[in-house]
Amino acid sequence: MKQDRPKISDVARIAGVSTATVSRVISNPGMVSEDTRATVQAAIAETGYRLNHAARNLRHQRTGGIVALVPNLSNPFFAQILSGIASVLVPAGYNLLVADTHSAGAEMLLDYAEPSRADGLIVLDGALPAAGLSGRVPVVQACEWVPGLLAPRVKIDNAAAAALAVAHLADLGHRRIGHVAGPRGNVLSEARFKGTVEALRARGLPCPDQADYAADFSLEAGRAAADRWLAADTATRPTALSFASDAMACGFIGEVQRHGLVVPRDVSVVGFDDIELIAHISPPLTTIRQPRAALGRLAAERLLARLRGENDPGDDMLLPVELVIRASTAPLV
Amino acid sequence: MKQDRPKISDVARIAGVSTATVSRVISNPGMVSEDTRATVQAAIAETGYRLNHAARNLRHQRTGGIVALVPNLSNPFFAQILSGIASVLVPAGYNLLVADTHSAGAEMLLDYAEPSRADGLIVLDGALPAAGLSGRVPVVQACEWVPGLLAPRVKIDNAAAAALAVAHLADLGHRRIGHVAGPRGNVLSEARFKGTVEALRARGLPCPDQADYAADFSLEAGRAAADRWLAADTATRPTALSFASDAMACGFIGEVQRHGLVVPRDVSVVGFDDIELIAHISPPLTTIRQPRAALGRLAAERLLARLRGENDPGDDMLLPVELVIRASTAPLV
DNA sequence: AGGCGCAATGTAATCGGTTGCATTCAGGTT
DNA sequence: AACCTGAATGCAACCGATTACATTGCGCCT
């Protein structure tokens, strides 16, 4: 039965050498004489030999792969972070695999943290259990973070970023400023809400009650927030809103426009993330830009440093954000 | 040095049994007596033993993982397909890993098609080399397809879908109907363009020259198409356009609105895909909806069937699309 | 001529589970 | 009492590559 996959010993037999030599041709060609190398390579071509990764991994005690755990692949926000990660990992000889934490069970997620599965882990989901993640493969956290997990964090200063949005709206003259937060318990939601509240307090402005506009980052949540806002008393409802995600801001704007209102004339809106799309809708969205590619790149570089055994300071890295002013915000009339 | 990871023989020694018994407790508990099982489980807990996947995979000659190759993770379109795939694969005991074909080299991609890396492959990128993909692990193609690759395809009838868009616009009275295609050479672009042209011909309407509006699926390409359209002669330019992706339609609408024109009053627009966001922008986009989750689910099910060794008819599966009429199209005035 | 060193290659142990086959033993049958 | 059966467990080969160490042989030095 010739249909079995050829193994290294088949190649060795055909080339008339030992398996050790074949192995060296593959992973350390300089150690083999030119003649032998040619013979072996011919034998490899003849048999169509391909290396068995399971066997190599078992022997090497490494996999050459890094797994990224993302909470939700449908959020385009993550895609650019992942591409930043890949831009560092791939040239370094690692391959990047992505797993969606929503679609996998907790048991399976812990399995990704096994050295026999991946050499390292980049965690982009703050809702994972810290217990399962520690003491296994090297881990780096990016954007989100797991409370209690002792691993380097590469992120932005969410509270300060949220304050930036408030400052912008306040500077435009708005005094009733609302905030549509992400899901309760999410580390980003909490930090951004906290930053919003503190910024409002610092300016002596009234603080929104988080419960009024708690949501979940999604388009639909933004639309629902719009309904609540539309139903509220015109004299007391916010004249400006900051959102914890661009998606929610989009959903909100779409809905209020459908009700005949005009943004920013009737309400100013600030988003968060600066996903590509929102520059192209009307009105183009004012938002807080996160340096996504840089977040990914730095997270990957820190992971590589840990894999190389360099001792990492372990501090959080805070990357700067930027307020991008477009056309969804305007002075209070 | 206690810091080594415990192996199965450590557990066996502590439990006072052989490694075979420990192995059976882990993967076939029914075969072991209750007493022994308890003892072994206690030893596992005591040592914190975790099984080495590389070793198991080597012995089993399988990995328990499926890799999905996607051309571009930043396209939210793929996320829901992947979630459909995961919804089938995960309950079946497989884990799903995603690799972005843009960020990996061709060499690396072929490695994913190795049985020692993954048990199966779901290809969502039609631009991969057919040669490297055949004769390795079982493959299923979804949405896009690789010309010449003999593997089951789960997709929509792209030409018919494009014709649906043309029919809608023609029924509204439009006679100069343009099409903004995806990238040249992409299988989807070609099929959708072909369908558009045929539908126009069948109705005796003038055909657009593909070159006029060739693009690449991106927002920015849609914006650029808008500039070309705006610069064209008002008397002869299309009064309606169908796009090969929603993203391009969004980019187009954003740009023409920025120039003071109104959609659909000044130009009707039909998108393609029905990504979630476009229902929330203004105007909500008329589009062709692809059954994304179903595409993913069916692709996964066919792959599972192949893995179980069931002989697959090998035919293409065509899933139905749907024209979703929203507010970006209107009768010709 | 004898000895040394280096380059090229082979030998065999090893990575850590899995599993076919052998063994043991308790309980039941004739 | 001899024998059979089946459940529970152990023994050891095996999956396929890697690599420390041993071996070979050639050229060069003294």
Side-chain angles (χ1 to χ4, degrees), chain A residues 78-88 96 293 297, chain B residues 100 103:
Chain A
F78 288 110
Q80 283 183 40
I81 298 178
L82 290 172
S83 123
I85 293 174
S87 74
V88 170
L96 173 65
R297 258 184 281 117
Chain B
D100 188 324
S103 48

PDB file of all heavy atoms in Angstrom, chain A residues 78-88 96 293 297, chain B residues 100 103:
ATOM      1  N   PHE A  78     -11.397  44.046  16.121  1.00  0.00           N
ATOM      2  CA  PHE A  78     -10.340  43.087  16.425  1.00  0.00           C
ATOM      3  C   PHE A  78      -9.479  42.745  15.224  1.00  0.00           C
ATOM      4  O   PHE A  78      -8.311  42.407  15.363  1.00  0.00           O
ATOM      5  CB  PHE A  78     -10.933  41.814  17.009  1.00  0.00           C
ATOM      6  CG  PHE A  78     -11.443  42.001  18.389  1.00  0.00           C
ATOM      7  CD1 PHE A  78     -12.796  41.975  18.657  1.00  0.00           C
ATOM      8  CD2 PHE A  78     -10.564  42.242  19.429  1.00  0.00           C
ATOM      9  CE1 PHE A  78     -13.268  42.179  19.940  1.00  0.00           C
ATOM     10  CE2 PHE A  78     -11.031  42.436  20.714  1.00  0.00           C
ATOM     11  CZ  PHE A  78     -12.386  42.411  20.974  1.00  0.00           C
ATOM     12  N   ALA A  79     -10.079  42.829  14.069  1.00  0.00           N
ATOM     13  CA  ALA A  79      -9.357  42.393  12.883  1.00  0.00           C
ATOM     14  C   ALA A  79      -8.032  43.139  12.731  1.00  0.00           C
ATOM     15  O   ALA A  79      -6.997  42.534  12.450  1.00  0.00           O
ATOM     16  CB  ALA A  79     -10.225  42.598  11.651  1.00  0.00           C
ATOM     17  N   GLN A  80      -8.051  44.427  12.960  1.00  0.00           N
ATOM     18  CA  GLN A  80      -6.811  45.173  12.759  1.00  0.00           C
ATOM     19  C   GLN A  80      -5.798  44.939  13.865  1.00  0.00           C
ATOM     20  O   GLN A  80      -4.598  45.051  13.653  1.00  0.00           O
ATOM     21  CB  GLN A  80      -7.115  46.654  12.607  1.00  0.00           C
ATOM     22  CG  GLN A  80      -7.661  46.941  11.221  1.00  0.00           C
ATOM     23  CD  GLN A  80      -7.914  48.410  11.009  1.00  0.00           C
ATOM     24  OE1 GLN A  80      -7.145  49.251  11.434  1.00  0.00           O
ATOM     25  NE2 GLN A  80      -9.007  48.710  10.339  1.00  0.00           N
ATOM     26  N   ILE A  81      -6.301  44.627  15.036  1.00  0.00           N
ATOM     27  CA  ILE A  81      -5.363  44.254  16.084  1.00  0.00           C
ATOM     28  C   ILE A  81      -4.677  42.948  15.697  1.00  0.00           C
ATOM     29  O   ILE A  81      -3.461  42.810  15.800  1.00  0.00           O
ATOM     30  CB  ILE A  81      -6.090  44.089  17.426  1.00  0.00           C
ATOM     31  CG1 ILE A  81      -6.710  45.419  17.826  1.00  0.00           C
ATOM     32  CG2 ILE A  81      -5.134  43.599  18.494  1.00  0.00           C
ATOM     33  CD1 ILE A  81      -7.485  45.353  19.099  1.00  0.00           C
ATOM     34  N   LEU A  82      -5.486  42.027  15.219  1.00  0.00           N
ATOM     35  CA  LEU A  82      -4.926  40.734  14.826  1.00  0.00           C
ATOM     36  C   LEU A  82      -3.926  40.905  13.695  1.00  0.00           C
ATOM     37  O   LEU A  82      -2.892  40.231  13.658  1.00  0.00           O
ATOM     38  CB  LEU A  82      -6.050  39.793  14.392  1.00  0.00           C
ATOM     39  CG  LEU A  82      -6.951  39.330  15.538  1.00  0.00           C
ATOM     40  CD1 LEU A  82      -8.157  38.573  15.004  1.00  0.00           C
ATOM     41  CD2 LEU A  82      -6.159  38.457  16.502  1.00  0.00           C
ATOM     42  N   SER A  83      -4.228  41.813  12.798  1.00  0.00           N
ATOM     43  CA  SER A  83      -3.294  41.984  11.702  1.00  0.00           C
ATOM     44  C   SER A  83      -1.989  42.600  12.209  1.00  0.00           C
ATOM     45  O   SER A  83      -0.906  42.261  11.731  1.00  0.00           O
ATOM     46  CB  SER A  83      -3.974  42.794  10.587  1.00  0.00           C
ATOM     47  OG  SER A  83      -3.246  43.936  10.279  1.00  0.00           O
ATOM     48  N   GLY A  84      -2.089  43.465  13.215  1.00  0.00           N
ATOM     49  CA  GLY A  84      -0.871  43.983  13.842  1.00  0.00           C
ATOM     50  C   GLY A  84      -0.080  42.867  14.505  1.00  0.00           C
ATOM     51  O   GLY A  84       1.150  42.798  14.412  1.00  0.00           O
ATOM     52  N   ILE A  85      -0.774  41.988  15.162  1.00  0.00           N
ATOM     53  CA  ILE A  85      -0.119  40.863  15.820  1.00  0.00           C
ATOM     54  C   ILE A  85       0.591  39.992  14.787  1.00  0.00           C
ATOM     55  O   ILE A  85       1.765  39.646  14.940  1.00  0.00           O
ATOM     56  CB  ILE A  85      -1.156  40.016  16.597  1.00  0.00           C
ATOM     57  CG1 ILE A  85      -1.725  40.812  17.773  1.00  0.00           C
ATOM     58  CG2 ILE A  85      -0.540  38.716  17.082  1.00  0.00           C
ATOM     59  CD1 ILE A  85      -2.857  40.109  18.514  1.00  0.00           C
ATOM     60  N   ALA A  86      -0.134  39.679  13.736  1.00  0.00           N
ATOM     61  CA  ALA A  86       0.433  38.806  12.706  1.00  0.00           C
ATOM     62  C   ALA A  86       1.662  39.446  12.066  1.00  0.00           C
ATOM     63  O   ALA A  86       2.622  38.752  11.733  1.00  0.00           O
ATOM     64  CB  ALA A  86      -0.616  38.495  11.642  1.00  0.00           C
ATOM     65  N   SER A  87       1.638  40.748  11.914  1.00  0.00           N
ATOM     66  CA  SER A  87       2.746  41.411  11.234  1.00  0.00           C
ATOM     67  C   SER A  87       4.049  41.250  12.009  1.00  0.00           C
ATOM     68  O   SER A  87       5.127  41.419  11.452  1.00  0.00           O
ATOM     69  CB  SER A  87       2.430  42.894  11.023  1.00  0.00           C
ATOM     70  OG  SER A  87       2.543  43.588  12.250  1.00  0.00           O
ATOM     71  N   VAL A  88       3.965  40.939  13.275  1.00  0.00           N
ATOM     72  CA  VAL A  88       5.172  40.717  14.072  1.00  0.00           C
ATOM     73  C   VAL A  88       5.475  39.225  14.194  1.00  0.00           C
ATOM     74  O   VAL A  88       6.620  38.790  14.063  1.00  0.00           O
ATOM     75  CB  VAL A  88       5.003  41.325  15.483  1.00  0.00           C
ATOM     76  CG1 VAL A  88       6.139  40.904  16.392  1.00  0.00           C
ATOM     77  CG2 VAL A  88       4.921  42.837  15.383  1.00  0.00           C
ATOM     78  N   LEU A  96       0.010  32.336  13.523  1.00  0.00           N
ATOM     79  CA  LEU A  96      -1.016  32.871  14.419  1.00  0.00           C
ATOM     80  C   LEU A  96      -2.331  32.176  14.150  1.00  0.00           C
ATOM     81  O   LEU A  96      -2.795  32.110  13.015  1.00  0.00           O
ATOM     82  CB  LEU A  96      -1.175  34.375  14.173  1.00  0.00           C
ATOM     83  CG  LEU A  96      -2.333  35.040  14.911  1.00  0.00           C
ATOM     84  CD1 LEU A  96      -2.092  34.995  16.417  1.00  0.00           C
ATOM     85  CD2 LEU A  96      -2.524  36.466  14.440  1.00  0.00           C
ATOM     86  N   ALA A 293      -3.398  48.762  15.218  1.00  0.00           N
ATOM     87  CA  ALA A 293      -2.263  47.982  14.718  1.00  0.00           C
ATOM     88  C   ALA A 293      -1.117  48.024  15.728  1.00  0.00           C
ATOM     89  O   ALA A 293      -0.477  47.013  15.996  1.00  0.00           O
ATOM     90  CB  ALA A 293      -1.819  48.514  13.364  1.00  0.00           C
ATOM     91  N   ARG A 297       0.811  45.003  17.482  1.00  0.00           N
ATOM     92  CA  ARG A 297       2.250  44.826  17.288  1.00  0.00           C
ATOM     93  C   ARG A 297       2.985  44.755  18.625  1.00  0.00           C
ATOM     94  O   ARG A 297       3.801  43.861  18.861  1.00  0.00           O
ATOM     95  CB  ARG A 297       2.802  45.983  16.449  1.00  0.00           C
ATOM     96  CG  ARG A 297       3.050  45.601  15.001  1.00  0.00           C
ATOM     97  CD  ARG A 297       3.678  46.739  14.235  1.00  0.00           C
ATOM     98  NE  ARG A 297       2.705  47.736  13.850  1.00  0.00           N
ATOM     99  CZ  ARG A 297       2.696  49.007  14.254  1.00  0.00           C
ATOM    100  NH1 ARG A 297       3.640  49.440  15.077  1.00  0.00           N
ATOM    101  NH2 ARG A 297       1.771  49.827  13.846  1.00  0.00           N
TER     102      ARG A 297
ATOM    103  N   ASP B 100      -5.520  33.875   8.868  1.00  0.00           N
ATOM    104  CA  ASP B 100      -5.713  34.894   7.851  1.00  0.00           C
ATOM    105  C   ASP B 100      -4.691  34.660   6.743  1.00  0.00           C
ATOM    106  O   ASP B 100      -3.486  34.679   6.975  1.00  0.00           O
ATOM    107  CB  ASP B 100      -5.512  36.264   8.497  1.00  0.00           C
ATOM    108  CG  ASP B 100      -5.872  37.395   7.558  1.00  0.00           C
ATOM    109  OD1 ASP B 100      -5.618  37.254   6.347  1.00  0.00           O
ATOM    110  OD2 ASP B 100      -6.401  38.402   8.028  1.00  0.00           O
ATOM    111  N   SER B 103      -1.883  37.393   6.033  1.00  0.00           N
ATOM    112  CA  SER B 103      -0.725  37.635   6.882  1.00  0.00           C
ATOM    113  C   SER B 103       0.250  36.469   6.882  1.00  0.00           C
ATOM    114  O   SER B 103       1.330  36.562   7.448  1.00  0.00           O
ATOM    115  CB  SER B 103      -1.178  37.966   8.305  1.00  0.00           C
ATOM    116  OG  SER B 103      -2.137  37.038   8.725  1.00  0.00           O
TER     117      SER B 103
END
